[in-house]
Amino acid sequence: RGAGAEELRAASERHGDDPLVRLVEHCADRRMLLILDNCEHVIGAAAALAEHLLARCPGVTVLATSREPLGVPGELLYPVEPLPEPYALRLFGERGAAVRPGFTVGQSAEVTAAAEEICRRLDGLPLAIELAAARLRILTPRQIADRLDDRFRLLTSGARTALPRQQTLRAVVDWSWDLLDEPERAVLARLSVFSGGCDLPAAEAVCGPDTLEALASLVDKSLVVAAPDGDDGAMRYRLLETVAEYAGRRLDEAGDRAGAERAHLTYFRELVRTTDPLLRGHGQRAAVARIERDYENLRSALRRAVAARDEQEALSLVLSMAWFWQMRDLRSEARLWAGEAAALGPDPFAGPAQLAPPVRQRCTDVPPPLTGELLEEARRQVHLCRLGYMDMEMDTWQSEEGQARLRVIRETYRADLPQACRTPGNIWYFAVLMTGQLDRMRDLADTTVRTCRELGYEWELALVLQLRANILANRSDTAAAGLADADEAIALFTRLGDQWGVAEALSARGETHEKLGRYTEAAADYTRARGLAESMGAHAQATILQVRLGQVVIEQGDGERGEQMLRETLDTSRRHTNEARPAARMMLVGRLAGTGRTAEAREQLEALRGEFKVADIVFFHGMSTGMEAMLDAIDGHADKALEGAAEAVELAGDPLAAVIAPNLSALHLLTAARALALRDGPGDAELAARLIGASDASLPAGHHASRMEREWRQDAVAAVRALLDDGAYARAHAEGGSLSVVEAAALL
């Protein structure tokens, strides 16, 4: 609402050439909005002018647009944030339609996805989005998105009438860079080595002790974004992707990348190395959050250590992160990085086997470099980390070469070694299991428990007690003995403050109760464990607990609710379903088969085979083969059911399958009996009765059959009894009771 041109001219004539005097007199008694647009390059003069006017002209309001505040008394800041996605997409669509008539961001799913990626990677910056849209003259949205790694070469087609600094993306950022002093440039360049931002201690560790002032200035100049993060509200700093790429190039030009990346690697190696022990106690939640907050930085540190072939740093990082990966079920990440780190040094299991000496110190108790036996143990342990995810490459471990390697690992450790009591040293149990020495498992667990007590390893004791409870829970004749182990593990983990461990121990106790047919107690343990897991953000743990709870609910008679719980875990929008999804599908197949929905059961079985390599693991392959045979029997396909049941019985003899589910052979023999009754050829009924007898005799003492097992046996017995009189059935059943599973299978 200022005066017109004539009044300004008159004021100028009265006061000569002093523009400030002219402006003050003109504004002194007026209400006026004065706009100072894009004034960062004259920030000092603009600040002086604003302060002078505001002190002498009470009716004046100054609106200044700049990349940093003026820094005058009474200033109110209104940050102009990047465009939110809907508006960024709208701008991209409008500018795109201007250069390519008919273009819309919603014309196909592919175009929409590419446009969203462009806007996201350009951080919602309007000028960058306009420059990207201008490229639609010659490129598709997907081609533009794929070339954003070289965005400064790509985005160069601005309007000819724009200021030179606004015609290319490089010119825009050059303009801001040129306004910085040397300390600000050095800090900005070094900040480019971070991934996902950083807090102040990390910035100071990488950029130097005098970082604070430069960082504050860079935040003021909108080159660094600052925002509170985490429960403590501490400030976190990050670069927009465009600024990060530019700053990275400047870092290369200065020849400072190696030093910055080394400082970054050292800082985050120490962060995770010193945080890892806190994952096992009262500080567990904060420790998990701390690692998650800087997980992208930790991945960058791992990449750089591997790329530099720095074995020591890679070993320290992988072993420090191993338990976090376990807690968060980051299986692919763990397997990848363990393999990368293992490849940097000599193979400790290349053979022949040499017994490892006792090592009480953790390999991550001290920073690199490691020497002597501690280094050798670290090399062994990183290979064991990879072994811990053997289910992802079972074909390798089941090969002749893989079995030979497992035997070397098996002979390298003993259960009374200190390092065998801890993770990842205790993964050597897998080698014992996978080389067929199942009879050793209980004795090894007993020795480890005794060693933990002797050495005073409380957390390790809680863990091995929970694992022993799991081993004992697999068989009904040993399950009851596992209750005491589970109870002690729960008490220890509770006292130590390890809620993740409490959930795992509750799950072990729930499995024990379930094996003993105590479904109310099992449901209570699973429910409590799931609540703890969810509160910890342990989504994978919570999901597998929901699968177990759903099965127990079905056993309690509420089939519809239990089925719904199983289906919820199959929702494709859910993450972290590594173990849960195949387990839920298997249980769902049993539920659907038992309620006559064989077509849908077959769909679930096919989905299981499609998304999970059941053929790679004998146990799962045998389970799926047996389930298909059950469905064939229900659908009346006698010969096919008999063939599948015979194969399933053979597969159930696998050592691992015998440990996990010793009742499988009995179930498959019942399927074969039902198929024989369905076929009803000469001698089929008598053979079927023998198989039922062999099935009953094969079950462990005190076995509590599940609802599905009871119903399946009832159906098989009813089908066979319909073909035989009571005497003939009793004689054949008794004959079968004297047969082993192998002998019974030979009759098929």
Side-chain angles (χ1 to χ4, degrees), residues 354-504:
Q354 291 184 334
L355 182 64
V359 178
R360 294 196 61 168
Q361 189 177 24
R362 291 181 183 273
C363 297
T364 54
D365 281 348
V366 294
L370 306 180
T371 58
E373 266 311 315
L374 201 59
L375 175 58
E376 294 305 312
E377 183 59 35
R379 287 169 172 161
R380 288 189 287 267
Q381 289 189 10
V382 81
H383 280 266
L384 290 178
C385 285
R386 176 82 181 256
L387 175 63
Y389 302 95
M390 63 189 308
D391 58 307
M392 302 176 73
E393 46 186 356
M394 285 297 292
D395 53 341
T396 298
W397 292 107
Q398 290 175 340
S399 68
E400 183 176 341
E401 181 180 353
Q403 286 291 300
R405 183 173 180 79
L406 287 171
R407 286 192 291 272
V408 173
I409 296 173
R410 184 189 69 196
E411 300 305 322
T412 300
Y413 287 94
R414 294 194 318 262
D416 60 351
L417 289 175
Q419 64 267 39
C421 297
R422 297 188 172 120
T423 58
N426 58 10
I427 294 174
W428 82 280
Y429 275 97
F430 285 11
V432 177
L433 189 66
M434 290 300 295
T435 52
Q437 296 192 351
L438 303 179
D439 54 330
R440 295 182 60 196
M441 294 300 292
R442 176 69 184 272
D443 289 341
L444 292 176
D446 293 345
T447 301
T448 303
V449 168
R450 185 172 61 253
T451 303
C452 287
R453 294 190 193 279
E454 292 171 354
L455 295 174
Y457 289 175
E458 288 190 303
W459 184 87
E460 291 80 1
L461 174 61
L463 184 64
V464 73
L465 286 169
Q466 173 248 313
L467 292 173
R468 189 168 69 176
N470 273 321
I471 294 172
L472 296 172
N474 285 321
R475 294 182 60 91
S476 55
D477 54 353
T478 61
L483 284 175
D485 282 349
D487 287 340
E488 186 178 359
I490 292 168
L492 281 169
F493 279 133
T494 300
R495 186 167 60 77
L496 293 170
D498 186 339
Q499 295 188 2
W500 189 92
V502 172
E504 285 291 289

Side-chain angles (χ1 to χ4, degrees), residues 250-268:
R250 290 293 192 173
L251 185 68
D252 290 331
E253 292 171 3
D256 196 24
R257 177 169 294 281
E261 289 187 346
R262 171 54 59 175
H264 176 278
L265 192 159
T266 300
Y267 179 84
F268 285 104

Side-chain angles (χ1 to χ4, degrees), residues 46-90:
L49 172 61
E51 184 175 14
H52 195 87
L53 283 174
L54 295 173
R56 292 165 176 76
C57 307
V60 171
T61 298
V62 177
L63 173 62
T65 68
S66 173
R67 297 183 187 182
E68 62 179 303
L70 296 183
V72 299
E75 182 178 23
L76 296 177
L77 299 179
Y78 295 91
V80 180
E81 302 291 341
L83 289 175
E85 183 179 277
Y87 298 101
L89 283 173
R90 177 180 172 183

Side-chain angles (χ1 to χ4, degrees), residues 234-388:
M235 296 299 289
R236 194 163 179 86
Y237 309 94
R238 68 179 179 89
L239 303 183
L240 299 181
E241 188 172 331
T242 297
V243 176
E245 183 179 333
Y246 181 93
R249 294 187 178 196
R250 290 293 192 173
L251 185 68
D252 290 331
E253 292 171 3
D256 196 24
R257 177 169 294 281
E261 289 187 346
R262 171 54 59 175
H264 176 278
L265 192 159
T266 300
Y267 179 84
F268 285 104
R269 177 251 293 156
E270 283 302 284
L271 182 146
V272 72
R273 188 184 68 80
T274 56
T275 302
D276 171 55
L278 305 179
L279 294 173
R280 300 165 180 82
H282 290 284
Q284 184 177 71
R285 289 175 184 268
V288 168
R290 186 69 189 90
I291 294 175
E292 287 184 333
R293 194 155 54 242
D294 271 305
Y295 191 66
E296 289 306 313
N297 279 312
L298 289 165
R299 292 178 71 186
S300 291
L302 273 165
R303 279 194 295 270
R304 287 164 183 159
V306 170
R309 300 198 60 77
D310 191 330
E311 182 197 13
Q312 292 268 1
E313 294 291 354
L315 288 173
S316 184
L317 281 163
V318 168
L319 295 179
S320 296
M321 294 184 70
W323 191 243
F324 172 81
W325 283 326
Q326 171 73 18
M327 292 178 67
R328 281 303 192 242
D329 201 40
L330 296 171
R331 300 162 61 80
S332 295
E333 288 273 291
R335 176 174 167 269
L336 168 67
W337 292 116
E340 294 283 359
L344 298 177
D347 184 353
F349 300 122
Q354 291 184 334
L355 182 64
V359 178
R360 294 196 61 168
Q361 189 177 24
R362 291 181 183 273
C363 297
T364 54
D365 281 348
V366 294
L370 306 180
T371 58
E373 266 311 315
L374 201 59
L375 175 58
E376 294 305 312
E377 183 59 35
R379 287 169 172 161
R380 288 189 287 267
Q381 289 189 10
V382 81
H383 280 266
L384 290 178
C385 285
R386 176 82 181 256
L387 175 63

Side-chain angles (χ1 to χ4, degrees), residues 4-14 22:
E6 291 301 324
E7 292 179 80
L8 287 172
R9 189 177 299 111
S12 177
E13 291 172 354
R14 286 196 302 273
R22 296 199 306 272

